[in-house]
Amino acid sequence: MTLTLAIVIAVIVIALAFDYTNGFHDAANAIATSVSTRALTPRVALTLAAIMNFVGALLGQEVAKTVADVITIENGAGELQVGVNTGLVIVMAGLLGAIVWNLITWWFGLPSSSSHALIGGLVGSAIAGGVSVKWDTIVEKVLIPMVLSPLFGFCAAFVVMLSIMWIFRRRNPHRTMRGFRLMQTFSAAALSLGHGLQDAQKTMGVILLTLVIAYPASYNIETLPLWVVLAAAGAISAGTYAGGWRIMRTLGRKIIDLDPARGFSAEAVGATVLYTTAFVFHAPISTTHTITSAVMGAGATKRLSAVRWGMARTILTAWILTFPMAGLMAWLSFEILHLVIL
């Protein structure tokens, strides 16, 4: 076995491990609201989320291609800036940086973004390894959506919930909430589908980037092999089923106590944002940012003081730190791997 093949296998294994941690780290995104409102039991919700994650991962490839286009080891003239093995180690270090940051935020129960941890990790390792970062892609497809999607999620969920309150203002409250508790089964399924559509594709993109670097004659950024799609779908689905209980408590209770109508509003808005950004803009946005902001928006219709803004500030801090801290972890990972492997 050549060193290149060994590194490729190692990177793919680590990428699938990241996909798995993404699943249990972000499982709470799709089901915390349904569990907290007692629309679904935790185990039923996790099973539903795992199945829909797998299905969602099979529905698109454009986000994966965007992720694969974040960094390149070629310069403008098409010449290699570093050796193939160094390029592969850069990808490996980016993944390790994202995994380390995911585990840190998971341990403290903070719903940070696995997506931005991955992108930040790739950028950090690319800078450490001396290869090009496609900053136009980062700004257009990552940074701008990173800011806009939570703002839209908050505002849209607020408006949707106000509309629901007005439409059902004369209905029996108990019967209305029972209906929305049933509807949350569908909104949670839709959100889980969007999570698979978005987050599994990011791992597919990293594996595709690895293959393109190692075997440019056999693979290109426009063609995603079926085995990559199925492997990433399976890994995120398995991780989701393993659960994310710490973060589930944060989303479900520590931000605000949700009722079924507000849970449905948050999930419906979150799913809509995920589908739109994946299919229309091909942008790898954060499911965490989207659903957390939607939960806050729906909850704020009770009264602004009903949202636990102290916890919201803690989560915001984790969001801000994710990109640079994952990059730093990846930088350190590259320095260590460079000494050990190359």
Side-chain angles (χ1 to χ4, degrees), residues 216-297:
S218 302
Y219 297 95
N220 63 77
I221 201 171
E222 298 300 325
T223 305
L224 195 60
L226 179 61
W227 68 266
V228 174
V229 175
L230 294 176
I236 198 170
S237 181
T240 296
Y241 190 74
W245 306 107
R246 291 175 183 269
I247 297 171
M248 192 185 303
R249 286 194 293 270
T250 298
L251 274 179
R253 292 295 181 186
K254 291 184 180 179
I255 296 176
I256 190 169
D257 293 325
L258 293 176
D259 55 46
R262 287 177 173 82
F264 171 80
S265 300
E267 290 170 343
V269 168
T272 301
V273 173
L274 293 176
Y275 298 153
T276 302
T277 51
F279 289 124
V280 178
F281 300 108
H282 310 156
I285 70 161
S286 168
T287 55
T288 304
H289 288 201
T290 303
I291 187 58
T292 304
S293 60
V295 166
M296 292 179 185

Side-chain angles (χ1 to χ4, degrees), residues 111-163:
S112 67
S113 169
S114 294
S115 305
H116 297 145
L118 177 59
I119 302 297
L122 289 174
V123 170
S125 60
I127 293 173
V131 300
S132 298
V133 176
K134 296 189 176 179
W135 291 108
D136 54 342
T137 300
I138 296 292
V139 172
E140 180 182 348
K141 301 290 188 180
V142 179
L143 297 182
I144 292 177
M146 180 176 74
V147 175
L148 294 183
S149 58
L151 292 176
F152 180 83
F154 182 96
C155 295
F158 186 86
V159 170
V160 168
M161 188 58 214
L162 281 182
S163 301

Side-chain angles (χ1 to χ4, degrees), residues 22-204:
N22 191 338
F24 77 69
H25 188 278
D26 289 2
N29 294 343
I31 64 174
T33 51
S34 296
V35 172
S36 69
T37 61
R38 296 179 176 83
L40 297 171
T41 65
R43 189 52 59 189
V44 169
L46 281 171
T47 302
L48 175 66
I51 293 171
M52 299 308 289
N53 270 194
F54 187 89
V55 174
L58 306 179
L59 297 182
Q61 299 183 0
E62 295 304 322
V63 172
K65 294 172 183 176
T66 296
V67 173
D69 196 39
V70 166
I71 66 173
T72 179
I73 67 170
E74 295 183 349
N75 59 23
E79 300 170 341
L80 296 181
Q81 302 175 80
V82 294
V84 169
N85 290 344
T86 301
L88 294 173
V89 168
I90 287 171
V91 178
M92 183 187 295
L95 284 166
L96 290 175
I99 290 173
V100 170
W101 184 246
N102 264 0
L103 292 175
I104 291 172
T105 51
W106 168 80
W107 178 257
F108 289 103
L110 296 176
S112 67
S113 169
S114 294
S115 305
H116 297 145
L118 177 59
I119 302 297
L122 289 174
V123 170
S125 60
I127 293 173
V131 300
S132 298
V133 176
K134 296 189 176 179
W135 291 108
D136 54 342
T137 300
I138 296 292
V139 172
E140 180 182 348
K141 301 290 188 180
V142 179
L143 297 182
I144 292 177
M146 180 176 74
V147 175
L148 294 183
S149 58
L151 292 176
F152 180 83
F154 182 96
C155 295
F158 186 86
V159 170
V160 168
M161 188 58 214
L162 281 182
S163 301
I164 288 174
M165 292 168 65
W166 186 82
I167 292 170
F168 292 94
R169 66 190 185 282
R170 301 185 189 280
R171 304 288 179 87
N172 179 280
H174 178 72
R175 185 175 299 173
T176 298
M177 289 303 166
R178 187 171 61 188
F180 276 109
R181 188 171 282 115
L182 176 63
M183 289 298 293
Q184 272 199 276
T185 302
F186 299 98
S187 60
L191 188 63
S192 296
L193 189 76
H195 179 226
L197 175 66
Q198 274 280 347
D199 284 35
Q201 283 197 59
K202 293 154 192 171
T203 298
M204 297 176 201

